[in-house]
């Protein structure tokens, strides 16, 4: 078992690094972003790449034995053999970042033995730093946070694509809920952890860097996180595409999972 003091030191390192990198992203955004398209047709900006480079230099200088897996870095294979690895999305929600929305985040985790053990999700424009380590509390700007205990979907608050809940492949129609779109998967998850919303749901595949940091924060806040089949995420293969996302308070989670298991083919 990793010493809690070591985990706390890793967490503080992540907190310092994302604050500095977030400030860099804001400066570059203010100067005017350069936007390009990656081979998969997703967008990337000069800020994504600069934040990635700054985090890599700072974090790996402090922890040279840790592996590295980032959405914006070529995979050097270090995460496959290292005892611990940084797993991150330098800017999660790039599309919203480009469009001037405030809900983009920097999401960084330390993963050991297939599980995140320290994680931060930082939303610079909201001045919101979510953080947790294994065995510790989930925090927002240093204050404890907890998922909601709602047990009914009626009038629930959620983040996701509002169009998803009106699709005809659901065996039963969803009740009346307040569903808001947010561009960052990590932000949607930590909003559950903080009790700002009751759940988030996505049926599209996710990558480890999308969810690793927020997964830990949510778990420590009392939320339940899994793929759409009810399987907890396993990060031993950091190149694995994860099959959708359910993140909810413990009262709503089984109701949402049941709906996902009865989707019509």
């Amino acid at each position: 078992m990793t010493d809690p003091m070591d985990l706390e030191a890793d967490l503080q390192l992540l907190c310092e690094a994302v604050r500095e990198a977030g400030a860099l992203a804001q400066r570059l955004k203010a100067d005017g972003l350069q936007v390009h398209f990656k081979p998969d047709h997703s967008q990337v900006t000069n800020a994504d790449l600069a934040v990635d480079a700054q985090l890599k230099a700072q974090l790996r200088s402090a922890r040279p034995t840790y592996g590295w897996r980032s959405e914006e870095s070529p995979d050097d294979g270090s995460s496959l053999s290292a005892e611990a690895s940084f797993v991150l999305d330098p800017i999660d929600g790039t599309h919203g970042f480009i469009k001037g929305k405030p809900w983009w985040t920097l999401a960084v985790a330390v993963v050991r033995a297939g599980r995140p053990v320290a994680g931060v999700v930082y939303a610079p424009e909201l001045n919101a730093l979510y953080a947790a380590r294994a065995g510790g509390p989930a925090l927002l700007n240093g204050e404890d946070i907890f998922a909601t205990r709602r047990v009914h979907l009626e009038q629930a608050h959620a983040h996701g694509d509002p169009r998803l809940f009106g699709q005809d492949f659901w065996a039963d129609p969803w009740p009346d809920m307040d569903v808001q779109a947010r561009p960052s998967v990590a932000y949607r998850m930590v909003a559950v952890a903080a009790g700002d919303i009751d759940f988030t749901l996505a049926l599209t595949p996710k990558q480890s860097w999308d969810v690793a940091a927020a997964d830990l924060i949510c778990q420590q806040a009392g939320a339940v996180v899994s793929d759409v089949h009810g399987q907890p995420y396993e990060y031993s293969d950091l190149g694995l595409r994860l099959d959708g996302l359910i993140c909810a308070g413990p009262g709503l989670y089984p109701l949402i999972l049941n709906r996902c298991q009865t989707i019509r083919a």
Side-chain angles (χ1 to χ4, degrees), residues 43-66:
Q43 293 174 302
V44 65
T45 72
N46 58 317
D48 293 79
L49 301 177
V51 166
D52 184 70
Q54 178 167 307
L55 286 172
K56 188 172 187 178
Q58 184 173 357
L59 294 176
R60 297 200 81 179
S61 174
R63 303 287 189 271
T65 64
Y66 285 19

Side-chain angles (χ1 to χ4, degrees), residues 19-38:
R19 286 195 181 279
E20 294 175 17
L24 171 61
Q26 287 180 296
R27 290 196 300 272
L28 292 171
K29 183 181 179 184
D31 291 340
L33 295 172
Q34 301 167 24
V35 183
H36 308 281
F37 287 91
K38 295 190 282 189

Side-chain angles (χ1 to χ4, degrees), residues 6-15 66 85-87 107-112 115-121 130-135 212-214 216-217 220:
D6 292 338
L7 295 182
E8 191 64 35
D10 277 356
L11 184 60
Q12 292 307 310
L13 172 65
L14 297 185
C15 289
Y66 285 19
S85 294
F86 295 110
V87 179
V108 189
V110 173
V111 171
R112 289 179 178 269
R115 291 299 306 164
V117 294
V120 298
V121 174
Y130 304 82
R133 64 166 177 84
L216 175 63
I217 295 166
Q220 300 306 116

Side-chain angles (χ1 to χ4, degrees), residues 128-175:
L129 179 61
Y130 304 82
R133 64 166 177 84
L139 304 171
L140 168 56
N141 294 340
E143 300 294 328
D144 290 7
I145 53 175
F146 303 94
T148 69
R149 298 289 171 173
R150 176 182 284 274
V151 296
H152 301 291
L153 284 167
E154 292 79 4
Q155 305 303 314
H157 298 276
H159 285 165
D161 184 345
R163 297 169 296 181
L164 170 65
F165 299 92
Q167 297 294 321
D168 61 8
F169 54 66
W170 298 105
D172 296 307
W174 289 80

Side-chain angles (χ1 to χ4, degrees), residues 153-228:
L153 284 167
E154 292 79 4
Q155 305 303 314
H157 298 276
H159 285 165
D161 184 345
R163 297 169 296 181
L164 170 65
F165 299 92
Q167 297 294 321
D168 61 8
F169 54 66
W170 298 105
D172 296 307
W174 289 80
D176 184 36
M177 303 181 298
D178 174 35
V179 181
Q180 302 291 326
R182 295 292 183 263
S184 164
V185 174
Y187 179 77
R188 298 199 297 264
M189 293 175 68
V190 294
V192 174
D196 295 329
I197 60 170
D198 300 300
F199 75 94
T200 187
L201 171 66
L203 302 185
T204 53
K206 304 301 172 194
Q207 297 278 4
S208 55
W209 53 64
D210 294 321
V211 298
D215 185 354
L216 175 63
I217 295 166
C218 289
Q219 298 279 359
Q220 300 306 116
V224 184
V225 179
S226 76
D227 68 14
V228 294

